[in-house]
Amino acid sequence: MRNCPVPAYRPLLLPLSFACSLTSFSLEAAETGAPTLDTVVVTGNRGAEQRTVTTSPTPIDVVTGEQLRSVGKPSLLEALSKFIPSFNLPDRAGWDASGVVRSATLRGLTASHVLVLVNGKRRHTSATLNINGINSGAAPSDLDLIPVASIDHIEVLRDGAAAQYGSDAISGVINIILKQTTGGSSDTTLGQGYDGKRGTGQEALNYGFQVGEAGVLNVSLDTRYQERDNKAGSNGYSAHYYPQADGSPDPREADASHHTYKGYGLPRSQLADAGYNLDLPLSDALTLYSFSTVATRENNDGQNFRLPSGRNTITTGPNGYPDGYSPYWLVNETDFQSAFGAKGDNFGGWAWDLSSTYGRNYAKQRTYNNQNPSLGENTPNKFTSGIYIADQLTSNLDLKNSYEIGLAKPMDVAFGFEHRRESYETRAGSEASYIDGGYVFPAGHPRAGQRPDPGAQVTNGITPEDAQKVSRNSVASYIDLGFYPVEQWYVGVAGRYEHYNEGVGGTRSGKLSTRYEFNPVFSVRGSVSNGFRAPSLANQIFTARSTGFDTINGVYQSYNYVILPVDSAGAQALGAEALKPERSTNFSLGFALTPSEDLSLTVDGYVINLRDRLVLSERFQGPGVAALLDGIGVPATAGAQYFTNGANTRTSGVDVVGNYRQNLNRYGTVKWTAALNYNHTQILSVNDTPEQLTALGNFQLMGRQSRALITKTSPSSKMIFAADWGISDFDVNLRLTRYGTYTEVNSSSDPSLDREYSAKWITDLDVAYALSKQLTVAVGAQNLFDKYPDHIGVSNSSFGDNWGSYSPFGFTGGYYYTRLQYAF
């Protein structure tokens, strides 16, 4: 890395604790000596004026592709969480599909409140809906299905932007900018956990071709794999494995394994994705462009052990498991997005951009090493549980111009139109995955005369009656104005009207943003806006019959529960109502301090009021619920849930970010970096429990655990301190991240079983050496000192003594890697 020239004004070196700095740098800018704070950003800016991180009226971060590729983990989500303080990625491994398609939070809100763009165009969402934990109800855009090698940089707008971009942009916008360069690179990364598990590998290739005189076609290919890890402890069972009909002990009990959960950790994952980005100028006034990504992924996650003594275990026959069994859950995905467009600046003096983008995510869910116990000895061991498909077609026309109206600067005018068609489909699983075979345990069996539950374990298949396909259209128009009443004062006003043909109806969003520059060093900025999120189609029709576990009559065993579509007879009988859009009001106020091109400090406070927040209800279970559901055609179901607009919430916090770059002359250059986010969410009100539920028992629409998932389970703060030291041919990156306290609330009514997890410091280190101009080798470690969350202190019947379920930095310990980069 080259040393940067000393600026005319050079501030004194600040202590690391005060050198609050931007969590992102432009590698090209650093190497050429250009000011890193002058990187132009486009997210949140519909007008023609160029803005930078510090001149933007709303807070925004930039993370370069080089930073992402240097993290050493084959996951874009994990890489982003290393650089953005208000971006958290809670670990949720071992919980069915929710541990497979990971979801992040931004500013304390869920993944469904973050809009994802690629080159400024809306990205489609995943077909896999999260139904467990902090992100329940979210079907996010899956960033991990975009080739990391194709990314030039990522802009993260930390402010509501529904008036500019529409639904979902409540807590912010993530805009992934693809490469548009020639030349090529190869990145090979191999890694492994300190315990010898969790082996990972990634090969990322990128190459850009010149097309014609001025066009560029940039293509990328990523292949990745990740081995399974499992941190489950002993379950603590005593003599429940092999009960004899006469009550005598079985000698096999002494050798039975009590580490019975197979998915408390990371799943096995294999991924291949590719993409291209084409920019083709045909004349000075017309440019054609296109970009696409395509990916295929298989995730394989272990599940809970089924005891040989359980009422849902077949121990005899060709497909029986005499010693019990642990099913495995497979999710096979095919995903692609393609965009085509044209742009120019000759439409009556207006710059214009016309485009269409289509995306589709196809997810087939399967299980193996499994049983449908109601089929008895005829049960298969492999099942297709169902297929989920989400697709989206979005077309946009955007126009912008500037006008002299007698103010300090020309007024930017931008307006546009959007049409979006979305659909969501659930397809039936294989017949054996949902059928009730009517098997009765025979005489002589310890459970003689009893009937096991119907359907495959882990998850019953989707029945033909439950399979659905829904779609909707929305049309929108927006206008965005930016002007300067005086030279130092910028004012932005945006408005958007959007209408849905199904359910949501019309919505109106507005935003007022402003920035006042007292002098070149100090400016203040703020915004106020309202926004909305239309309930996803998946929220409306998603259904899944899953397996829960509890100790029933002294024996640990499984039972079935179901997530019901909101409009189904079962959900209606339990008080479900049609879903409404979530509506938000956002406030932001802050300042930017830029004493020189090498030093910046930004502080932004925010408040987000969210009305009609969509949540997954409590699990209602008991004899009354089971009898009601059985009477309307939902048999053998011990409990049920559904999605509902359950609460009004307020999220408040502050982001502090900055940048200080120090030239040490012959000792190289150090980029001191630091960032802080403090965040707090409170529930303002909870909707009343429906009469249908109160008539069945002491139920709450949202109980202790549902409320805690909103208010307590995310860390209260996150701090990042880092130093990037470039000297000669070495580049050393040291990053310290502190995750604040968080609480996991037990599903029971006993607060003594709750657990508060203490704050933890996580250290990451990366050391790179340039063997030549083209070849660089690096070694590094994440979680260098092998930190784990606190032991939960309350033994879980599946995991044993464990580290909880929502650690923001995982519970698989330290990880080391080596990376080889070649530029050509």
Side-chain angles (χ1 to χ4, degrees), residues 165-183:
Y165 298 108
S167 178
D168 306 343
I170 288 179
S171 63
V173 178
I174 297 175
N175 191 4
I176 299 170
I177 309 299
L178 302 179
K179 287 181 179 177
Q180 194 176 316
T181 57
T182 57

mmCIF file with all atom_site columns, all heavy atoms in Angstrom, residues 165-183:
data_model
loop_
_atom_site.group_PDB
_atom_site.id
_atom_site.type_symbol
_atom_site.label_atom_id
_atom_site.label_alt_id
_atom_site.label_comp_id
_atom_site.label_asym_id
_atom_site.label_entity_id
_atom_site.label_seq_id
_atom_site.pdbx_PDB_ins_code
_atom_site.Cartn_x
_atom_site.Cartn_y
_atom_site.Cartn_z
_atom_site.occupancy
_atom_site.B_iso_or_equiv
_atom_site.pdbx_formal_charge
_atom_site.auth_seq_id
_atom_site.auth_comp_id
_atom_site.auth_asym_id
_atom_site.auth_atom_id
_atom_site.pdbx_PDB_model_num
ATOM 1   N N   . TYR A 1 165 ? -38.295 5.112  -2.478  1.00 0.00 ? 165 TYR A N   1
ATOM 2   C CA  . TYR A 1 165 ? -38.164 3.759  -3.032  1.00 0.00 ? 165 TYR A CA  1
ATOM 3   C C   . TYR A 1 165 ? -39.362 2.850  -2.778  1.00 0.00 ? 165 TYR A C   1
ATOM 4   O O   . TYR A 1 165 ? -39.429 1.759  -3.328  1.00 0.00 ? 165 TYR A O   1
ATOM 5   C CB  . TYR A 1 165 ? -36.916 3.089  -2.467  1.00 0.00 ? 165 TYR A CB  1
ATOM 6   C CG  . TYR A 1 165 ? -35.631 3.798  -2.831  1.00 0.00 ? 165 TYR A CG  1
ATOM 7   C CD1 . TYR A 1 165 ? -34.915 4.513  -1.886  1.00 0.00 ? 165 TYR A CD1 1
ATOM 8   C CD2 . TYR A 1 165 ? -35.139 3.757  -4.133  1.00 0.00 ? 165 TYR A CD2 1
ATOM 9   C CE1 . TYR A 1 165 ? -33.737 5.165  -2.212  1.00 0.00 ? 165 TYR A CE1 1
ATOM 10  C CE2 . TYR A 1 165 ? -33.960 4.404  -4.471  1.00 0.00 ? 165 TYR A CE2 1
ATOM 11  C CZ  . TYR A 1 165 ? -33.260 5.105  -3.504  1.00 0.00 ? 165 TYR A CZ  1
ATOM 12  O OH  . TYR A 1 165 ? -32.103 5.756  -3.835  1.00 0.00 ? 165 TYR A OH  1
ATOM 13  N N   . GLY A 1 166 ? -40.293 3.243  -1.909  1.00 0.00 ? 166 GLY A N   1
ATOM 14  C CA  . GLY A 1 166 ? -41.487 2.448  -1.714  1.00 0.00 ? 166 GLY A CA  1
ATOM 15  C C   . GLY A 1 166 ? -41.402 1.511  -0.524  1.00 0.00 ? 166 GLY A C   1
ATOM 16  O O   . GLY A 1 166 ? -40.617 1.699  0.410   1.00 0.00 ? 166 GLY A O   1
ATOM 17  N N   . SER A 1 167 ? -42.230 0.476  -0.550  1.00 0.00 ? 167 SER A N   1
ATOM 18  C CA  . SER A 1 167 ? -42.399 -0.453 0.564   1.00 0.00 ? 167 SER A CA  1
ATOM 19  C C   . SER A 1 167 ? -41.071 -1.044 1.009   1.00 0.00 ? 167 SER A C   1
ATOM 20  O O   . SER A 1 167 ? -40.168 -1.285 0.205   1.00 0.00 ? 167 SER A O   1
ATOM 21  C CB  . SER A 1 167 ? -43.352 -1.576 0.153   1.00 0.00 ? 167 SER A CB  1
ATOM 22  O OG  . SER A 1 167 ? -43.506 -2.525 1.183   1.00 0.00 ? 167 SER A OG  1
ATOM 23  N N   . ASP A 1 168 ? -40.971 -1.282 2.307   1.00 0.00 ? 168 ASP A N   1
ATOM 24  C CA  . ASP A 1 168 ? -39.872 -1.979 2.985   1.00 0.00 ? 168 ASP A CA  1
ATOM 25  C C   . ASP A 1 168 ? -38.759 -1.052 3.441   1.00 0.00 ? 168 ASP A C   1
ATOM 26  O O   . ASP A 1 168 ? -37.974 -1.438 4.313   1.00 0.00 ? 168 ASP A O   1
ATOM 27  C CB  . ASP A 1 168 ? -39.253 -3.098 2.136   1.00 0.00 ? 168 ASP A CB  1
ATOM 28  C CG  . ASP A 1 168 ? -40.263 -4.105 1.639   1.00 0.00 ? 168 ASP A CG  1
ATOM 29  O OD1 . ASP A 1 168 ? -41.375 -4.139 2.192   1.00 0.00 ? 168 ASP A OD1 1
ATOM 30  O OD2 . ASP A 1 168 ? -39.948 -4.842 0.691   1.00 0.00 ? 168 ASP A OD2 1
ATOM 31  N N   . ALA A 1 169 ? -38.640 0.144  2.881   1.00 0.00 ? 169 ALA A N   1
ATOM 32  C CA  . ALA A 1 169 ? -37.499 1.003  3.215   1.00 0.00 ? 169 ALA A CA  1
ATOM 33  C C   . ALA A 1 169 ? -37.789 1.805  4.481   1.00 0.00 ? 169 ALA A C   1
ATOM 34  O O   . ALA A 1 169 ? -37.782 3.032  4.482   1.00 0.00 ? 169 ALA A O   1
ATOM 35  C CB  . ALA A 1 169 ? -37.177 1.934  2.052   1.00 0.00 ? 169 ALA A CB  1
ATOM 36  N N   . ILE A 1 170 ? -38.037 1.091  5.589   1.00 0.00 ? 170 ILE A N   1
ATOM 37  C CA  . ILE A 1 170 ? -38.391 1.748  6.850   1.00 0.00 ? 170 ILE A CA  1
ATOM 38  C C   . ILE A 1 170 ? -37.150 2.050  7.674   1.00 0.00 ? 170 ILE A C   1
ATOM 39  O O   . ILE A 1 170 ? -36.958 3.166  8.146   1.00 0.00 ? 170 ILE A O   1
ATOM 40  C CB  . ILE A 1 170 ? -39.392 0.881  7.636   1.00 0.00 ? 170 ILE A CB  1
ATOM 41  C CG1 . ILE A 1 170 ? -40.767 0.917  6.947   1.00 0.00 ? 170 ILE A CG1 1
ATOM 42  C CG2 . ILE A 1 170 ? -39.511 1.348  9.077   1.00 0.00 ? 170 ILE A CG2 1
ATOM 43  C CD1 . ILE A 1 170 ? -41.825 0.080  7.625   1.00 0.00 ? 170 ILE A CD1 1
ATOM 44  N N   . SER A 1 171 ? -36.287 1.045  7.875   1.00 0.00 ? 171 SER A N   1
ATOM 45  C CA  . SER A 1 171 ? -35.075 1.295  8.669   1.00 0.00 ? 171 SER A CA  1
ATOM 46  C C   . SER A 1 171 ? -33.893 1.678  7.799   1.00 0.00 ? 171 SER A C   1
ATOM 47  O O   . SER A 1 171 ? -32.895 2.199  8.306   1.00 0.00 ? 171 SER A O   1
ATOM 48  C CB  . SER A 1 171 ? -34.714 0.061  9.493   1.00 0.00 ? 171 SER A CB  1
ATOM 49  O OG  . SER A 1 171 ? -34.395 -1.033 8.658   1.00 0.00 ? 171 SER A OG  1
ATOM 50  N N   . GLY A 1 172 ? -33.975 1.444  6.487   1.00 0.00 ? 172 GLY A N   1
ATOM 51  C CA  . GLY A 1 172 ? -32.877 1.825  5.623   1.00 0.00 ? 172 GLY A CA  1
ATOM 52  C C   . GLY A 1 172 ? -32.892 1.110  4.290   1.00 0.00 ? 172 GLY A C   1
ATOM 53  O O   . GLY A 1 172 ? -33.814 0.349  3.972   1.00 0.00 ? 172 GLY A O   1
ATOM 54  N N   . VAL A 1 173 ? -31.837 1.355  3.517   1.00 0.00 ? 173 VAL A N   1
ATOM 55  C CA  . VAL A 1 173 ? -31.695 0.800  2.173   1.00 0.00 ? 173 VAL A CA  1
ATOM 56  C C   . VAL A 1 173 ? -30.270 0.294  2.006   1.00 0.00 ? 173 VAL A C   1
ATOM 57  O O   . VAL A 1 173 ? -29.308 0.981  2.380   1.00 0.00 ? 173 VAL A O   1
ATOM 58  C CB  . VAL A 1 173 ? -31.994 1.863  1.089   1.00 0.00 ? 173 VAL A CB  1
ATOM 59  C CG1 . VAL A 1 173 ? -31.794 1.280  -0.310  1.00 0.00 ? 173 VAL A CG1 1
ATOM 60  C CG2 . VAL A 1 173 ? -33.410 2.403  1.243   1.00 0.00 ? 173 VAL A CG2 1
ATOM 61  N N   . ILE A 1 174 ? -30.133 -0.902 1.475   1.00 0.00 ? 174 ILE A N   1
ATOM 62  C CA  . ILE A 1 174 ? -28.824 -1.454 1.119   1.00 0.00 ? 174 ILE A CA  1
ATOM 63  C C   . ILE A 1 174 ? -28.753 -1.498 -0.406  1.00 0.00 ? 174 ILE A C   1
ATOM 64  O O   . ILE A 1 174 ? -29.555 -2.184 -1.042  1.00 0.00 ? 174 ILE A O   1
ATOM 65  C CB  . ILE A 1 174 ? -28.624 -2.858 1.706   1.00 0.00 ? 174 ILE A CB  1
ATOM 66  C CG1 . ILE A 1 174 ? -28.639 -2.807 3.233   1.00 0.00 ? 174 ILE A CG1 1
ATOM 67  C CG2 . ILE A 1 174 ? -27.318 -3.475 1.216   1.00 0.00 ? 174 ILE A CG2 1
ATOM 68  C CD1 . ILE A 1 174 ? -28.567 -4.179 3.892   1.00 0.00 ? 174 ILE A CD1 1
ATOM 69  N N   . ASN A 1 175 ? -27.821 -0.758 -0.974  1.00 0.00 ? 175 ASN A N   1
ATOM 70  C CA  . ASN A 1 175 ? -27.681 -0.674 -2.432  1.00 0.00 ? 175 ASN A CA  1
ATOM 71  C C   . ASN A 1 175 ? -26.341 -1.291 -2.820  1.00 0.00 ? 175 ASN A C   1
ATOM 72  O O   . ASN A 1 175 ? -25.279 -0.773 -2.452  1.00 0.00 ? 175 ASN A O   1
ATOM 73  C CB  . ASN A 1 175 ? -27.755 0.781  -2.893  1.00 0.00 ? 175 ASN A CB  1
ATOM 74  C CG  . ASN A 1 175 ? -27.874 0.903  -4.403  1.00 0.00 ? 175 ASN A CG  1
ATOM 75  O OD1 . ASN A 1 175 ? -27.986 -0.101 -5.127  1.00 0.00 ? 175 ASN A OD1 1
ATOM 76  N ND2 . ASN A 1 175 ? -27.826 2.116  -4.903  1.00 0.00 ? 175 ASN A ND2 1
ATOM 77  N N   . ILE A 1 176 ? -26.381 -2.393 -3.547  1.00 0.00 ? 176 ILE A N   1
ATOM 78  C CA  . ILE A 1 176 ? -25.183 -3.113 -3.966  1.00 0.00 ? 176 ILE A CA  1
ATOM 79  C C   . ILE A 1 176 ? -24.795 -2.643 -5.362  1.00 0.00 ? 176 ILE A C   1
ATOM 80  O O   . ILE A 1 176 ? -25.554 -2.831 -6.321  1.00 0.00 ? 176 ILE A O   1
ATOM 81  C CB  . ILE A 1 176 ? -25.433 -4.632 -3.944  1.00 0.00 ? 176 ILE A CB  1
ATOM 82  C CG1 . ILE A 1 176 ? -25.780 -5.069 -2.515  1.00 0.00 ? 176 ILE A CG1 1
ATOM 83  C CG2 . ILE A 1 176 ? -24.221 -5.392 -4.455  1.00 0.00 ? 176 ILE A CG2 1
ATOM 84  C CD1 . ILE A 1 176 ? -26.270 -6.497 -2.421  1.00 0.00 ? 176 ILE A CD1 1
ATOM 85  N N   . ILE A 1 177 ? -23.631 -2.018 -5.476  1.00 0.00 ? 177 ILE A N   1
ATOM 86  C CA  . ILE A 1 177 ? -23.155 -1.496 -6.754  1.00 0.00 ? 177 ILE A CA  1
ATOM 87  C C   . ILE A 1 177 ? -22.173 -2.494 -7.354  1.00 0.00 ? 177 ILE A C   1
ATOM 88  O O   . ILE A 1 177 ? -21.143 -2.819 -6.744  1.00 0.00 ? 177 ILE A O   1
ATOM 89  C CB  . ILE A 1 177 ? -22.466 -0.125 -6.574  1.00 0.00 ? 177 ILE A CB  1
ATOM 90  C CG1 . ILE A 1 177 ? -23.377 0.826  -5.764  1.00 0.00 ? 177 ILE A CG1 1
ATOM 91  C CG2 . ILE A 1 177 ? -22.115 0.463  -7.923  1.00 0.00 ? 177 ILE A CG2 1
ATOM 92  C CD1 . ILE A 1 177 ? -24.699 1.120  -6.405  1.00 0.00 ? 177 ILE A CD1 1
ATOM 93  N N   . LEU A 1 178 ? -22.499 -2.999 -8.551  1.00 0.00 ? 178 LEU A N   1
ATOM 94  C CA  . LEU A 1 178 ? -21.673 -4.015 -9.193  1.00 0.00 ? 178 LEU A CA  1
ATOM 95  C C   . LEU A 1 178 ? -20.497 -3.387 -9.929  1.00 0.00 ? 178 LEU A C   1
ATOM 96  O O   . LEU A 1 178 ? -20.533 -2.216 -10.336 1.00 0.00 ? 178 LEU A O   1
ATOM 97  C CB  . LEU A 1 178 ? -22.523 -4.836 -10.165 1.00 0.00 ? 178 LEU A CB  1
ATOM 98  C CG  . LEU A 1 178 ? -23.747 -5.548 -9.559  1.00 0.00 ? 178 LEU A CG  1
ATOM 99  C CD1 . LEU A 1 178 ? -24.499 -6.312 -10.645 1.00 0.00 ? 178 LEU A CD1 1
ATOM 100 C CD2 . LEU A 1 178 ? -23.349 -6.477 -8.424  1.00 0.00 ? 178 LEU A CD2 1
ATOM 101 N N   . LYS A 1 179 ? -19.448 -4.181 -10.132 1.00 0.00 ? 179 LYS A N   1
ATOM 102 C CA  . LYS A 1 179 ? -18.249 -3.700 -10.809 1.00 0.00 ? 179 LYS A CA  1
ATOM 103 C C   . LYS A 1 179 ? -18.541 -3.349 -12.261 1.00 0.00 ? 179 LYS A C   1
ATOM 104 O O   . LYS A 1 179 ? -19.321 -4.023 -12.940 1.00 0.00 ? 179 LYS A O   1
ATOM 105 C CB  . LYS A 1 179 ? -17.157 -4.769 -10.771 1.00 0.00 ? 179 LYS A CB  1
ATOM 106 C CG  . LYS A 1 179 ? -16.504 -4.972 -9.424  1.00 0.00 ? 179 LYS A CG  1
ATOM 107 C CD  . LYS A 1 179 ? -15.424 -6.031 -9.528  1.00 0.00 ? 179 LYS A CD  1
ATOM 108 C CE  . LYS A 1 179 ? -14.729 -6.258 -8.189  1.00 0.00 ? 179 LYS A CE  1
ATOM 109 N NZ  . LYS A 1 179 ? -13.717 -7.346 -8.293  1.00 0.00 ? 179 LYS A NZ  1
ATOM 110 N N   . GLN A 1 180 ? -17.833 -2.326 -12.724 1.00 0.00 ? 180 GLN A N   1
ATOM 111 C CA  . GLN A 1 180 ? -17.918 -1.906 -14.117 1.00 0.00 ? 180 GLN A CA  1
ATOM 112 C C   . GLN A 1 180 ? -16.502 -1.573 -14.586 1.00 0.00 ? 180 GLN A C   1
ATOM 113 O O   . GLN A 1 180 ? -16.226 -0.497 -15.084 1.00 0.00 ? 180 GLN A O   1
ATOM 114 C CB  . GLN A 1 180 ? -18.852 -0.695 -14.227 1.00 0.00 ? 180 GLN A CB  1
ATOM 115 C CG  . GLN A 1 180 ? -19.287 -0.351 -15.632 1.00 0.00 ? 180 GLN A CG  1
ATOM 116 C CD  . GLN A 1 180 ? -20.285 0.783  -15.633 1.00 0.00 ? 180 GLN A CD  1
ATOM 117 O OE1 . GLN A 1 180 ? -21.211 0.817  -14.840 1.00 0.00 ? 180 GLN A OE1 1
ATOM 118 N NE2 . GLN A 1 180 ? -20.086 1.739  -16.531 1.00 0.00 ? 180 GLN A NE2 1
ATOM 119 N N   . THR A 1 181 ? -15.608 -2.542 -14.412 1.00 0.00 ? 181 THR A N   1
ATOM 120 C CA  . THR A 1 181 ? -14.183 -2.347 -14.687 1.00 0.00 ? 181 THR A CA  1
ATOM 121 C C   . THR A 1 181 ? -13.665 -3.465 -15.582 1.00 0.00 ? 181 THR A C   1
ATOM 122 O O   . THR A 1 181 ? -14.276 -4.533 -15.694 1.00 0.00 ? 181 THR A O   1
ATOM 123 C CB  . THR A 1 181 ? -13.378 -2.347 -13.383 1.00 0.00 ? 181 THR A CB  1
ATOM 124 O OG1 . THR A 1 181 ? -13.619 -3.584 -12.673 1.00 0.00 ? 181 THR A OG1 1
ATOM 125 C CG2 . THR A 1 181 ? -13.781 -1.184 -12.492 1.00 0.00 ? 181 THR A CG2 1
ATOM 126 N N   . THR A 1 182 ? -12.523 -3.215 -16.208 1.00 0.00 ? 182 THR A N   1
ATOM 127 C CA  . THR A 1 182 ? -11.845 -4.250 -16.985 1.00 0.00 ? 182 THR A CA  1
ATOM 128 C C   . THR A 1 182 ? -10.735 -4.861 -16.132 1.00 0.00 ? 182 THR A C   1
ATOM 129 O O   . THR A 1 182 ? -10.408 -4.374 -15.060 1.00 0.00 ? 182 THR A O   1
ATOM 130 C CB  . THR A 1 182 ? -11.249 -3.659 -18.270 1.00 0.00 ? 182 THR A CB  1
ATOM 131 O OG1 . THR A 1 182 ? -10.354 -2.597 -17.921 1.00 0.00 ? 182 THR A OG1 1
ATOM 132 C CG2 . THR A 1 182 ? -12.359 -3.117 -19.169 1.00 0.00 ? 182 THR A CG2 1
ATOM 133 N N   . GLY A 1 183 ? -10.130 -5.933 -16.643 1.00 0.00 ? 183 GLY A N   1
ATOM 134 C CA  . GLY A 1 183 ? -9.126  -6.653 -15.874 1.00 0.00 ? 183 GLY A CA  1
ATOM 135 C C   . GLY A 1 183 ? -9.771  -7.716 -15.025 1.00 0.00 ? 183 GLY A C   1
ATOM 136 O O   . GLY A 1 183 ? -11.007 -7.829 -14.959 1.00 0.00 ? 183 GLY A O   1
#
